[in-house]
Amino acid sequence: MTVSIGAVLEREHRIIDDGIAIFAGADTSEVSPAQRTALLDAIAVLRRHIYLEEEYVFPPLRAAGLVGPLMVMVHEHGQMWPVLDELERLVTDGDSEATAQLCRELLEQLGSHNMKEERIVYPSADGMLPPGDLEELSKLLRTSELPAGWVCGGVPVD
């Protein structure tokens, strides 16, 4: 059975969005440890998601000629990466109000970003990649972890 990479990645989008939304809509005077954990888990899944896209999904699509949309995606990943760093800092510092506000801003960013991926990039991946590549990518999506120190390609280098 051929696996739809697009479907797997879209499912991750929903998981990420749900974890961020739990905190974004929280009463900031009474944020629970479970809400903090849900947000930190969503951040970890998003970082891993970006890693998998940039290291495994995007390269064969770029080689097949889908350059412009991927440049946009990597650029947007680079805009999100420092936001994730800041969210982790805010959660650790206990600044619930600033965390919730930044979560709302991130959800807005993700809404636009995810729509482009789901309408352009993922259908291209499902249509351009050979079934063996799709199956290998599906396995990676289930099993791989973000390597220590990995940073997305869109983050400016100092």
Side-chain angles (χ1 to χ4, degrees):
M1 176 171 90
T2 303
V3 177
S4 169
I5 293 304
V8 173
L9 292 169
E10 283 184 39
R11 191 168 34 256
E12 277 199 341
H13 282 173
R14 302 295 88 70
I15 292 167
I16 293 162
D17 291 349
D18 289 349
I20 296 168
I22 287 170
F23 204 103
D27 173 356
T28 56
S29 65
E30 298 181 23
V31 174
S32 72
Q35 288 167 309
R36 291 181 197 287
T37 299
L39 176 56
L40 292 172
D41 289 348
I43 291 168
V45 172
L46 179 52
R47 287 188 190 276
R48 182 184 153 279
H49 180 90
I50 290 170
Y51 161 73
L52 290 169
E53 287 178 341
E54 291 194 13
E55 295 294 325
Y56 297 101
V57 178
F58 293 179
L61 294 177
R62 192 175 292 113
L66 191 70
V67 176
L70 297 180
M71 287 176 61
V72 172
M73 295 300 98
V74 171
H75 174 74
E76 290 179 1
H77 289 167
Q79 292 175 319
M80 287 180 232
W81 204 262
V83 172
L84 301 178
D85 292 339
E86 180 67 5
L87 277 173
E88 289 173 330
R89 187 190 68 73
L90 289 169
V91 169
T92 301
D93 291 350
D95 189 342
S96 298
E97 193 166 317
T99 303
Q101 178 58 39
L102 194 53
C103 282
R104 289 187 288 275
E105 292 170 18
L106 179 59
L107 284 171
E108 200 171 301
Q109 257 184 314
L110 285 169
S112 171
H113 179 82
N114 292 351
M115 181 182 67
K116 289 179 269 192
E117 282 186 336
E118 292 170 9
R119 290 186 180 170
I120 299 167
V121 177
Y122 298 167
S124 296
D126 289 337
M128 289 182 181
L129 300 177
D133 289 355
L134 290 174
E135 289 172 18
E136 183 62 27
L137 279 172
S138 180
K139 180 180 176 188
L140 281 168
L141 289 169
R142 290 190 312 271
T143 62
S144 67
E145 296 180 21
L146 179 70
W150 187 89
V151 176
C152 70
V155 173
V157 178
D158 294 334

